[in-house]
Amino acid sequence: PHVAYCTLVIPISKSSRYSTELRDFKNQVLGMLETAEKEREALRTEAESAAARVDRLEREVDYLETQNPAPPCVEVDEVLTEKQAAAGKQRKNEKYSKVTDCSDTIASVRAMKILKRFGGSVGLWTKDAAGNSEKIYVFDGTANDTVYVFPRMREFTLFSATRRAARIKLPYPWVGTGHLVYGGYLYYIRQQGPFQVIKFDLTNKTVVDSSVFPAEEQIPVFGLSPFTYIELAADEEGLWAIYATKEDEKNICLAKLDPDSLDIEQMWDTPCPRENAEGAFVVCGALHVAYNTRLPSRSRVQCVFDVSGTLPPEEASLVYFPKRYGSHSSMKYSPRERQIYAWDDGYQIIYRMEMKKKLEV
C-alpha cells in the first residue's frame, strides 16, 4: 500500500513576519530589563549617598554637641538648698566618705554594640555587677516572677528563643526594671503595699532577707519610665538605691545600701530633676541621670551628683548616647567591665565607656 504524506507549507511572507515580531519582542524585553537594572543601580547609589549624608550629619551633630554641650538640667530650689546645707535626720545629705580610691568619671561613650532583639519593649538585662560570673540575667517586662538565665553572652546572642534559657521562678513577683544582680544575689523590688527590697540567693534559690524601703509616698523615680519606683545600682563603692518621693517630687533621691543587711547607710536629696529622666546609674560614687524627650531622641547624661563632693555638677562631662530605636527602660553599669547594659525598645545594647580622672574634668 502507498502511504500519503501531507506537507504543511507556511508562506515565506508569514514566517518572516513571525520571526520579525519575535525578534522585536525579545529586543523590547531586553530593553525593559536593561532599563530596570539601570533604575535599580541608580536607586542603590542614591540610597548609599543618603546613608553617607546621614552618617556625616550625625558626626557633625556629635561634634557640635561636644563643643557646645547643653547646660546641666538643674533647677535652683531654695528649699532644697537649705535642706542640703543642714545635716538632717538619718544621716541625710551628709558628705560621703568613700570606701575605695576610685576617682574616675565618664568622659564619653566609646562604642555601642547592639546584641539582638529579645522580649518586649521594656525590660532589663545584666550580669553580676560584683562577681566573675559570665551569666546573663534577663527580666522581660515590668511585672513578672520569672527570670531567664543564659550561661554566657554567646548563648544569649545566638539563641532566638527562651526555651534555651534556664528559668528562675521567684517566690514573689517583681515590679519595674530597677533590679540588680550583685555578688551572687538577686536584689529585686516587690510591691505589696509599701515597696520592699528582696535579697534572693541565686545558688540555693531562696529568699535570705527582705526590707521595707524606708521612704514614704514614693512616686516613679524617672519621669519617662513610670513603671520604676526604685532603681537599684552598683558601682565600685557598693550598692545604691535611686528613688523619689512626694516630699520632693521634682528631684531624684539617692541612698547607700548595705548589701548584707539591706539597711540604709546614708541618704541624699540630689539636684537632678525627675522630669524627662529615663534612667540612671552610679559610677565611683557619682549619680548619673540620663534624659530624653517624650518623643524619643538622643539620650544624654545631663545631671551628675557626686556624694563625696569631689566632682561639682557644673564641671561634669555631659555624655551623649548614640541615636538608637527609642528610649532606655533600663541602664545597668558594670564596674568590673566599665560598660552599661541597656534595654532600648526591645533591643539589648552594650555601651562601652571612656573614663578619665575626676581631677581632669
Side-chain angles (χ1 to χ4, degrees):
H2 297 279
V3 178
Y5 294 92
C6 297
T7 303
L8 179 63
V9 179
I10 300 177
I12 296 178
S13 58
K14 285 188 176 182
S15 176
S16 176
R17 180 163 58 85
Y18 292 155
S19 177
T20 301
E21 289 179 355
L22 181 61
R23 185 173 59 254
D24 290 344
F25 178 71
K26 180 180 179 181
N27 291 337
Q28 184 180 0
V29 170
L30 290 175
M32 293 171 64
L33 291 174
E34 185 177 353
T35 301
E37 181 64 24
K38 288 181 179 179
E39 291 178 351
R40 189 176 70 86
E41 184 65 22
L43 288 173
R44 187 183 66 81
T45 302
E46 186 177 345
E48 290 178 351
S49 176
R53 290 197 299 271
V54 169
D55 184 62
R56 184 170 60 252
L57 180 60
E58 287 186 344
R59 288 199 302 269
E60 290 175 355
V61 169
D62 288 342
Y63 174 78
L64 290 174
E65 288 172 341
T66 302
Q67 299 302 312
N68 302 288
C73 189
V74 177
E75 296 180 6
V76 178
D77 191 325
E78 294 180 359
V79 176
L80 177 61
T81 304
E82 291 174 1
K83 285 182 181 179
Q84 292 178 327
K89 296 180 180 179
Q90 299 180 2
R91 292 172 53 80
K92 196 170 187 179
N93 296 325
E94 291 183 4
K95 186 176 179 180
Y96 175 74
S97 297
K98 297 179 68 175
V99 297
T100 71
D101 59 356
C102 182
S103 59
D104 292 334
T105 184
I106 296 176
S108 63
V109 177
R110 185 178 65 185
M112 177 184 76
K113 184 176 182 180
I114 301 173
L115 268 295
K116 63 183 300 182
R117 187 168 191 174
F118 179 97
S121 60
V122 176
L124 156 71
W125 75 300
T126 186
K127 283 185 179 180
D128 190 324
N132 295 318
S133 173
E134 293 300 316
K135 290 182 178 180
I136 302 295
Y137 299 88
V138 181
F139 298 74
D140 186 14
T142 61
N144 208 325
D145 63 356
T146 302
V147 181
Y148 298 107
V149 184
F150 295 84
R152 287 176 298 274
M153 185 71 72
R154 181 176 182 273
E155 283 77 6
F156 174 67
T157 305
L158 295 178
F159 292 168
S160 59
T162 57
R163 65 177 181 273
R164 296 290 190 93
R167 289 173 170 81
I168 297 177
K169 189 173 180 60
L170 301 175
Y172 314 114
W174 44 266
V175 294
T177 59
H179 323 297
L180 180 72
V181 178
Y182 186 82
Y185 296 93
L186 166 62
Y187 297 81
Y188 73 96
I189 307 303
R190 176 196 185 196
Q191 184 181 15
Q192 187 178 25
F195 287 94
Q196 292 178 283
V197 179
I198 306 295
K199 183 178 180 180
F200 181 83
D201 191 322
L202 291 168
T203 301
N204 57 31
K205 309 297 188 293
T206 59
V207 172
V208 295
D209 205 353
S210 65
S211 175
V212 174
F213 194 76
E216 298 179 355
E217 296 185 300
Q218 286 186 243
I219 56 178
V221 59
F222 308 124
L224 297 182
S225 302
F227 39 79
T228 296
Y229 284 75
I230 301 175
E231 175 77 25
L232 299 177
D235 74 341
E236 296 77 2
E237 291 287 309
L239 196 62
W240 305 82
I242 307 164
Y243 65 102
T245 66
K246 285 187 177 180
E247 181 182 358
D248 181 20
E249 62 181 357
K250 288 185 177 181
N251 296 320
I252 292 171
C253 299
L254 180 66
K256 185 71 171 62
L257 291 181
D258 183 331
D260 296 324
S261 65
L262 301 181
D263 290 340
I264 301 293
E265 297 178 346
Q266 206 164 332
M267 306 175 81
W268 296 266
D269 297 321
T270 82
C272 298
R274 292 176 54 250
E275 185 179 5
N276 291 331
E278 67 173 6
F281 49 91
V282 182
V283 179
C284 286
L287 173 68
H288 294 65
V289 184
Y291 294 87
N292 208 317
T293 56
R294 291 289 174 183
L295 295 176
S297 60
R298 296 189 70 204
S299 299
R300 69 272 181 201
V301 172
Q302 206 166 319
C303 185
V304 178
F305 175 74
D306 189 343
V307 297
S308 65
T310 58
L311 180 63
E314 65 274 8
E315 294 184 11
S317 298
L318 299 183
V319 180
Y320 287 84
F321 291 90
K323 175 67 176 174
R324 309 164 327 279
Y325 300 95
S327 60
H328 295 117
S329 60
S330 62
M331 305 176 77
K332 290 298 176 183
Y333 172 68
S334 169
R336 176 166 56 97
E337 300 169 308
R338 295 295 179 90
Q339 59 189 23
I340 293 173
Y341 292 86
W343 191 293
D344 173 21
D345 198 24
Y347 290 89
Q348 290 72 50
I349 298 176
I350 293 176
Y351 295 111
R352 293 187 173 90
M353 314 307 290
E354 187 74 31
M355 312 298 285
K356 61 182 178 181
K357 298 298 180 183
K358 291 181 182 179
L359 297 177
E360 298 176 9
V361 177

